[in-house]
Structures are given as C-alpha cells and as structure tokens.
Amino acid sequence: MINAVLLLIMLILGGCGTSVNLLEYKPQPLSVAKYVPPKEQLIHHSLPKVVVANVDDNGIRIAKKANLGRVMTVEVVKNLSLLHSVRVIQRLKALSYKDIKKEIKAASLAKKTGLNIGADYIILGKLSNASYDYNFHEGYCYTINTKKLGLQRICKSPSVDYKACVDGDIKILKLPSLTEAQLFTIHKCVYQSEDIRSPRYIRKINNGLLRRAATQAIDSLYGKFRDFFAQKGYIYALRKKGDDIIVQTTLGAKFGAKEGDEVEIYHKERFFNPLTQQYNMTNIKIGYGIISNQITDEYSWVIVKKLQKPVKAGDFVKLKFDDSILGFIKKLY
C-alpha cells in the first residue's frame, strides 16, 4: 500500500514540472482581445473587499437564545480570512439603510475615480429555520448463553438521541449596484447521543449542539466562497520555445497564487440573447495551465498545457481548485 502511494506521488510530481528558464523562451507578438477590463481595474488590481453583516436570526426564539446569528457571522469571517483572496474590511452588527447607502456611495466613488476605497461586496445571511429535537430510548436487558461462561445477562442503559438543525441562506451582493452576485442555501443537522438514568435527565435544549450545527453549516460553504472569490490574472505577454508556450499574467503571489497551482484560461465574448433581446458577456474556457517557478507578488508566468484557440492580451486565468485526494497530495508535495 505504501509503495503504491509513493509511486502515485512520483507520477504526480513527474508530470507537473514547473521550472522555466525565461531566456530559453522567445517573446511573441500578442494581439489584444476585443473585451478587456478598464485600465483603472488593471492598474489598481487588488483583493476584493467585503463587508459582512450579522446573520439575521429572523426572530426564531431558539436561534436567538443560542446566539446563532453572531456565531454564524464569526464563522463567515473566519472562512473568508482563510481564503487569502478576499479582505474583510468591516463587520456590522446589523445592516441599516444608512450603512447600505454609505457603502454604495463609497463603491460608486471608487468606480469613478479608480481609488481603492469602499467595499466591493456585502455579505448577508438569514436563518429560515432552527430546530432541536430529542428521542428517548428505554433501557433493556437480555440473556445470552456462552460455552465458556454460561448464561450472561447484558443490559443496555437508557439513552437519548439529540438532533439540531439550521436552515437559511447567505447572499453576496455586488456594490455599488446591490445586485445579487451569489446565493448559497444552507442546511445542516448534527446529532449527539448519550446514556442517561431516566427521562428527567433529558436536555430539553442544547445551545451547544445548535451552535455546532450553525458553525458546520457555514463551514460547508468554504469551497463555494473559495470558488466565488478565486482570483483572476490578466494575460499581457507570451513567449514560446518550440511548441511550448508560457504566458505572463497579473496573478501574483499576493493574490494567493503559488507555484504548481493549476489555472484555467478564459476568453470573454459578447453574445445576443434572443429571449431578452439584449447583449450579454460570457466567459469561455479556452485552455488550462500551471503556474511556473517564475512568480512574484505582482505577476506569474503560466505554463500553457492546452489551448483550444489562440490566447490574446486581456484574456484571463483563474485558479482551479482540486478537492480530490490527488489534489491534496499535490499540495503536500
């Protein structure tokens, strides 16, 4: 088994070379994509900033007593801080109209001037349900006959099973438009069992178990937060060595990129929607690559592994996350 794992690791490491000597690659002309981000966005490219408002307990009595709103808000902030691809600039106890107006004004000013002020997103949450239940089991005894010990009496103590559940949603709103950028639905139940002497020892309420359900509900969103806030890097240079291609991007280490990380390459196109009679923008995946050893805080060179169409300046790469066991081993080595 150990040998098989070692062989697997060797195969992974052997197929993911990241060493690049820039002097061996010749610069190539690179046409500019039709749809590129504004110059201000490229110059002031920074981590997206978020304001997190306290999760609304929706007046649910057991949620209020267990302080689930605060517990879930703290967990949202904790999960975002683990990403290293987003910055929490403020946490609000409650989100008032005055707060929203202030954030919209700051985001609008940032958009007009290019100044790095205000937030890019507001994260809201609301519980739709919180429940707690228990089920008591009477104790019982039974007798078994064994060859060595003869008749044996075995007794099972009375016990109780507890169940705590939370339901709700987490919204990510884009500033300054306040449009809904993402909606995550949450549902989580946790269980606990214990032996007790009689029904009078049943815990009619267990705030700790409710808080555990609330915490795990938010923790289950970590991958979704990570994917939503995955950083982009815009392509602005290309070099070749024979058939091998590398591209330079704005996705540097300060945005959480690391040597060996996989990225997907996208091209932005405009299309007409006959249902809405409007034009919309869409991102089309055209290939993928791996971040090489040539990486700084400000940029990275990506080894292109596959391309379905020629890459252009203004196309972008986005970190790809692998949650499989192979992905885990890659991160270890």
Side-chain angles (χ1 to χ4, degrees), residues 260-308:
D261 281 351
E262 294 184 29
V263 296
E264 295 175 325
I265 304 171
Y266 289 89
H267 176 74
K268 189 179 290 290
E269 288 190 4
R270 186 169 180 251
F271 72 96
F272 179 73
N273 187 330
L275 298 177
T276 62
Q277 294 294 301
Q278 292 180 334
Y279 284 94
N280 302 100
M281 302 302 297
T282 185
N283 298 324
I284 299 175
K285 181 181 172 183
I286 61 172
Y288 67 91
I290 297 175
I291 296 178
S292 73
N293 63 327
Q294 302 295 328
I295 179 172
T296 70
D297 280 346
E298 304 300 327
Y299 68 82
S300 65
W301 282 93
V302 171
I303 303 168
V304 177
K305 292 294 185 180
K306 184 178 181 180
L307 269 181
Q308 295 174 332

Coordinates of all heavy atoms in Angstrom, one line a residue, residues 260-308:
G260 N 2.9 25.7 -9.1 CA 2.3 24.5 -9.2 C 0.8 24.5 -9.2 O 0.1 23.5 -9.5
D261 N 0.2 25.7 -8.9 CA -1.3 25.8 -8.9 C -1.7 25.7 -10.4 O -1.1 26.2 -11.3 CB -1.7 27.2 -8.4 CG -1.7 27.2 -6.9 OD1 -1.5 26.2 -6.2 OD2 -1.9 28.3 -6.3
E262 N -2.9 25.0 -10.5 CA -3.5 24.9 -11.8 C -4.4 26.1 -12.1 O -5.1 26.6 -11.2 CB -4.3 23.6 -11.9 CG -3.4 22.4 -11.9 CD -4.3 21.1 -12.1 OE1 -5.3 21.2 -12.8 OE2 -3.9 20.0 -11.6
V263 N -4.4 26.6 -13.3 CA -5.3 27.7 -13.7 C -6.0 27.3 -15.0 O -5.6 26.5 -15.8 CB -4.5 29.0 -13.9 CG1 -3.8 29.5 -12.6 CG2 -3.5 28.8 -15.0
E264 N -7.2 27.9 -15.1 CA -8.0 27.8 -16.3 C -7.9 29.1 -17.1 O -7.9 30.2 -16.5 CB -9.4 27.4 -16.0 CG -9.6 26.1 -15.4 CD -11.0 25.8 -14.9 OE1 -11.7 26.7 -14.5 OE2 -11.4 24.6 -15.0
I265 N -7.8 29.0 -18.4 CA -7.7 30.2 -19.3 C -9.0 30.5 -19.9 O -9.6 29.6 -20.5 CB -6.6 29.9 -20.3 CG1 -5.3 29.5 -19.7 CG2 -6.4 31.2 -21.2 CD1 -4.2 29.0 -20.6
Y266 N -9.4 31.8 -19.8 CA -10.7 32.2 -20.3 C -10.6 33.3 -21.3 O -9.7 34.2 -21.2 CB -11.6 32.6 -19.2 CG -12.1 31.5 -18.3 CD1 -11.3 31.1 -17.2 CD2 -13.3 30.9 -18.6 CE1 -11.8 30.1 -16.4 CE2 -13.7 29.8 -17.7 CZ -13.0 29.4 -16.6 OH -13.4 28.4 -15.8
H267 N -11.5 33.4 -22.2 CA -11.7 34.5 -23.2 C -13.1 35.0 -23.1 O -14.1 34.3 -23.0 CB -11.4 33.9 -24.6 CG -11.6 35.0 -25.7 ND1 -10.7 36.0 -25.9 CD2 -12.7 35.1 -26.6 CE1 -11.2 36.7 -26.9 NE2 -12.3 36.2 -27.3
K268 N -13.2 36.4 -23.0 CA -14.5 37.0 -22.9 C -15.1 37.3 -24.2 O -14.4 37.9 -25.1 CB -14.4 38.3 -22.0 CG -15.7 38.9 -21.6 CD -15.4 40.2 -20.8 CE -14.9 39.8 -19.4 NZ -15.9 39.2 -18.6
E269 N -16.4 37.0 -24.4 CA -17.1 37.2 -25.6 C -18.5 37.8 -25.4 O -19.0 37.6 -24.3 CB -17.3 36.0 -26.5 CG -16.0 35.5 -27.1 CD -16.2 34.4 -28.1 OE1 -17.4 34.0 -28.4 OE2 -15.2 33.8 -28.6
R270 N -19.0 38.5 -26.3 CA -20.3 39.1 -26.2 C -21.3 38.4 -27.1 O -21.0 38.0 -28.3 CB -20.2 40.6 -26.7 CG -21.5 41.4 -26.5 CD -21.1 42.9 -26.8 NE -22.2 43.8 -26.6 CZ -22.8 44.4 -27.6 NH1 -22.4 44.3 -28.9 NH2 -23.8 45.3 -27.4
F271 N -22.5 38.1 -26.6 CA -23.5 37.4 -27.4 C -24.9 38.0 -27.2 O -25.1 38.7 -26.2 CB -23.5 35.9 -27.0 CG -24.2 35.6 -25.7 CD1 -25.5 35.2 -25.6 CD2 -23.4 35.7 -24.5 CE1 -26.1 35.0 -24.4 CE2 -24.0 35.5 -23.3 CZ -25.3 35.1 -23.2
F272 N -25.7 37.8 -28.2 CA -27.1 38.3 -28.2 C -28.0 37.3 -27.7 O -28.0 36.1 -28.1 CB -27.5 38.7 -29.6 CG -28.9 39.3 -29.7 CD1 -29.2 40.6 -29.2 CD2 -29.9 38.5 -30.2 CE1 -30.4 41.1 -29.2 CE2 -31.2 39.1 -30.3 CZ -31.5 40.3 -29.8
N273 N -28.8 37.7 -26.7 CA -29.8 36.8 -26.1 C -31.2 37.1 -26.8 O -31.8 38.1 -26.5 CB -29.9 37.0 -24.6 CG -30.8 36.0 -23.9 OD1 -31.8 35.5 -24.5 ND2 -30.5 35.7 -22.6
P274 N -31.7 36.2 -27.6 CA -32.9 36.4 -28.3 C -34.2 36.5 -27.4 O -35.2 37.0 -27.7 CB -33.0 35.2 -29.3 CG -32.2 34.1 -28.6 CD -31.1 34.8 -27.9
L275 N -34.0 35.9 -26.2 CA -35.1 35.9 -25.2 C -35.3 37.3 -24.6 O -36.4 37.8 -24.4 CB -35.0 34.9 -24.2 CG -34.9 33.4 -24.7 CD1 -34.7 32.4 -23.5 CD2 -36.2 33.1 -25.4
T276 N -34.2 37.9 -24.2 CA -34.2 39.2 -23.5 C -34.0 40.3 -24.5 O -34.2 41.5 -24.2 CB -33.2 39.3 -22.5 OG1 -31.8 39.1 -23.1 CG2 -33.3 38.2 -21.4
Q277 N -33.6 40.0 -25.8 CA -33.3 41.0 -26.8 C -32.2 41.9 -26.3 O -32.1 43.1 -26.6 CB -34.5 41.8 -27.1 CG -35.6 41.0 -27.8 CD -35.2 40.5 -29.2 OE1 -34.9 41.3 -30.1 NE2 -35.3 39.2 -29.4
Q278 N -31.2 41.3 -25.5 CA -30.1 42.1 -25.0 C -28.8 41.4 -25.3 O -28.8 40.2 -25.5 CB -30.3 42.3 -23.5 CG -31.4 43.2 -23.1 CD -31.5 43.4 -21.6 OE1 -31.1 42.5 -20.9 NE2 -32.1 44.5 -21.2
Y279 N -27.7 42.2 -25.3 CA -26.4 41.6 -25.4 C -25.8 41.3 -24.0 O -26.0 42.1 -23.1 CB -25.5 42.5 -26.2 CG -25.7 42.6 -27.7 CD1 -26.6 43.5 -28.2 CD2 -25.1 41.6 -28.5 CE1 -26.8 43.5 -29.6 CE2 -25.3 41.6 -29.9 CZ -26.2 42.6 -30.4 OH -26.4 42.6 -31.8
N280 N -25.2 40.2 -23.9 CA -24.6 39.8 -22.6 C -23.1 39.3 -22.8 O -22.8 38.9 -23.9 CB -25.4 38.7 -21.9 CG -26.8 39.0 -21.7 OD1 -27.7 38.6 -22.5 ND2 -27.1 39.8 -20.6
M281 N -22.3 39.4 -21.7 CA -21.0 39.0 -21.8 C -20.9 37.6 -21.2 O -21.6 37.2 -20.3 CB -20.1 39.9 -21.0 CG -20.1 41.3 -21.5 SD -19.6 41.5 -23.3 CE -17.9 40.9 -23.2
T282 N -20.0 36.7 -21.7 CA -19.8 35.4 -21.2 C -18.3 35.1 -21.2 O -17.6 35.6 -22.1 CB -20.6 34.4 -22.0 OG1 -20.5 33.1 -21.4 CG2 -20.1 34.2 -23.4
N283 N -17.9 34.2 -20.3 CA -16.5 33.8 -20.2 C -16.4 32.4 -20.8 O -17.1 31.5 -20.3 CB -16.0 33.8 -18.8 CG -16.0 35.2 -18.2 OD1 -15.7 36.2 -18.9 ND2 -16.3 35.3 -16.9
I284 N -15.6 32.2 -21.8 CA -15.4 30.9 -22.5 C -14.0 30.3 -22.1 O -13.0 31.0 -22.3 CB -15.5 31.1 -24.0 CG1 -16.9 31.6 -24.4 CG2 -15.3 29.8 -24.7 CD1 -17.1 31.9 -25.8
K285 N -14.1 29.1 -21.6 CA -12.8 28.5 -21.2 C -12.1 28.0 -22.5 O -12.7 27.3 -23.3 CB -13.1 27.3 -20.3 CG -11.8 26.5 -19.9 CD -12.2 25.4 -19.0 CE -11.0 24.5 -18.7 NZ -11.3 23.3 -17.9
I286 N -10.9 28.4 -22.7 CA -10.1 28.1 -23.9 C -8.9 27.2 -23.6 O -8.2 26.8 -24.6 CB -9.7 29.3 -24.7 CG1 -8.8 30.2 -23.9 CG2 -10.9 30.1 -25.2 CD1 -8.2 31.4 -24.7
G287 N -8.6 26.9 -22.4 CA -7.5 26.1 -22.1 C -7.1 26.1 -20.6 O -7.9 26.6 -19.8
Y288 N -6.0 25.5 -20.3 CA -5.5 25.5 -18.9 C -4.0 25.4 -18.8 O -3.3 25.1 -19.8 CB -6.1 24.3 -18.1 CG -5.7 22.9 -18.6 CD1 -4.5 22.3 -18.0 CD2 -6.3 22.2 -19.6 CE1 -4.1 21.1 -18.4 CE2 -5.8 21.0 -20.0 CZ -4.7 20.4 -19.4 OH -4.3 19.2 -19.9
G289 N -3.5 25.7 -17.6 CA -2.0 25.7 -17.5 C -1.6 25.5 -16.0 O -2.5 25.3 -15.1
I290 N -0.3 25.7 -15.8 CA 0.2 25.5 -14.4 C 1.1 26.7 -14.1 O 1.9 27.1 -15.0 CB 1.0 24.2 -14.2 CG1 0.1 23.0 -14.4 CG2 1.6 24.1 -12.9 CD1 0.8 21.7 -14.4
I291 N 1.0 27.3 -12.9 CA 1.9 28.4 -12.6 C 3.3 27.9 -12.4 O 3.6 26.9 -11.7 CB 1.4 29.1 -11.3 CG1 0.0 29.7 -11.6 CG2 2.4 30.1 -10.8 CD1 -0.6 30.4 -10.4
S292 N 4.3 28.5 -13.0 CA 5.7 28.1 -13.0 C 6.4 28.6 -11.8 O 5.8 29.2 -10.9 CB 6.4 28.6 -14.3 OG 6.6 30.0 -14.2
N293 N 7.7 28.3 -11.8 CA 8.5 28.9 -10.7 C 8.8 30.4 -10.8 O 9.3 31.0 -9.9 CB 9.9 28.1 -10.6 CG 10.7 28.2 -11.9 OD1 10.1 28.4 -13.0 ND2 12.0 28.2 -11.7
Q294 N 8.4 30.9 -12.0 CA 8.6 32.3 -12.2 C 7.4 33.1 -11.7 O 6.5 33.4 -12.4 CB 8.8 32.6 -13.7 CG 10.0 31.9 -14.3 CD 11.4 32.4 -13.7 OE1 11.5 33.5 -13.4 NE2 12.3 31.5 -13.6
I295 N 7.4 33.4 -10.4 CA 6.3 34.0 -9.8 C 6.7 35.0 -8.7 O 7.7 34.8 -8.0 CB 5.3 33.0 -9.1 CG1 4.1 33.7 -8.5 CG2 6.0 32.1 -8.2 CD1 3.0 32.7 -8.0
T296 N 6.1 36.2 -8.7 CA 6.4 37.3 -7.7 C 5.1 37.7 -7.1 O 4.0 37.2 -7.5 CB 7.1 38.5 -8.4 OG1 6.2 39.2 -9.2 CG2 8.4 38.0 -9.2
D297 N 5.2 38.7 -6.3 CA 3.9 39.3 -5.7 C 3.1 39.9 -6.8 O 1.8 39.9 -6.7 CB 4.2 40.3 -4.7 CG 4.6 39.7 -3.3 OD1 4.3 38.5 -3.2 OD2 5.1 40.4 -2.5
E298 N 3.7 40.4 -7.9 CA 3.0 41.2 -8.9 C 2.6 40.4 -10.2 O 1.6 40.8 -10.9 CB 3.9 42.4 -9.4 CG 4.3 43.3 -8.2 CD 3.1 43.9 -7.5 OE1 2.1 44.1 -8.1 OE2 3.2 44.1 -6.2
Y299 N 3.3 39.3 -10.5 CA 2.9 38.6 -11.7 C 3.3 37.1 -11.6 O 4.0 36.7 -10.6 CB 3.7 39.2 -12.9 CG 5.2 39.1 -12.9 CD1 5.8 37.9 -13.3 CD2 6.0 40.1 -12.4 CE1 7.2 37.7 -13.3 CE2 7.4 39.9 -12.4 CZ 8.0 38.8 -12.8 OH 9.3 38.6 -12.8
S300 N 2.9 36.3 -12.5 CA 3.4 34.9 -12.7 C 3.4 34.6 -14.1 O 2.7 35.1 -15.0 CB 2.4 34.0 -11.9 OG 1.1 34.0 -12.5
W301 N 4.3 33.6 -14.4 CA 4.4 33.0 -15.8 C 3.7 31.7 -15.7 O 4.0 30.9 -14.8 CB 5.8 32.9 -16.2 CG 6.4 34.1 -16.7 CD1 7.2 35.0 -16.0 CD2 6.3 34.6 -18.1 NE1 7.5 36.1 -16.8 CE2 7.1 35.9 -18.1 CE3 5.8 34.2 -19.3 CZ2 7.2 36.6 -19.2 CZ3 5.9 35.0 -20.4 CH2 6.6 36.2 -20.4
V302 N 2.7 31.5 -16.6 CA 2.0 30.2 -16.6 C 2.4 29.3 -17.8 O 2.5 29.8 -18.9 CB 0.5 30.5 -16.7 CG1 -0.4 29.3 -17.0 CG2 0.0 31.3 -15.5
I303 N 2.7 28.1 -17.5 CA 3.0 27.1 -18.5 C 1.7 26.6 -19.1 O 0.9 26.0 -18.4 CB 3.8 25.9 -17.9 CG1 5.0 26.4 -17.2 CG2 4.1 24.9 -19.0 CD1 5.7 25.3 -16.4
V304 N 1.4 26.9 -20.4 CA 0.2 26.5 -21.0 C 0.2 25.1 -21.4 O 1.1 24.6 -22.1 CB -0.1 27.4 -22.3 CG1 -1.3 26.9 -23.0 CG2 -0.2 28.9 -21.9
K305 N -0.7 24.3 -20.9 CA -0.8 22.9 -21.2 C -1.7 22.5 -22.3 O -1.5 21.5 -23.0 CB -1.3 22.1 -19.9 CG -0.3 22.2 -18.7 CD 1.0 21.4 -19.1 CE 2.0 21.3 -17.9 NZ 3.2 20.6 -18.3
K306 N -2.8 23.3 -22.5 CA -3.7 23.1 -23.6 C -4.4 24.4 -24.0 O -4.8 25.2 -23.1 CB -4.8 22.1 -23.1 CG -5.7 21.7 -24.3 CD -6.7 20.6 -23.8 CE -7.7 20.2 -24.9 NZ -8.6 19.2 -24.4
L307 N -4.6 24.6 -25.3 CA -5.3 25.8 -25.8 C -6.2 25.3 -26.9 O -5.7 24.6 -27.8 CB -4.3 26.8 -26.3 CG -3.8 27.9 -25.4 CD1 -2.8 28.8 -26.1 CD2 -4.9 28.7 -24.7
Q308 N -7.4 25.8 -26.9 CA -8.4 25.5 -28.0 C -8.4 26.6 -29.0 O -8.9 26.4 -30.1 CB -9.8 25.3 -27.4 CG -9.8 24.0 -26.5 CD -11.2 23.9 -25.8 OE1 -11.8 24.9 -25.5 NE2 -11.5 22.7 -25.4

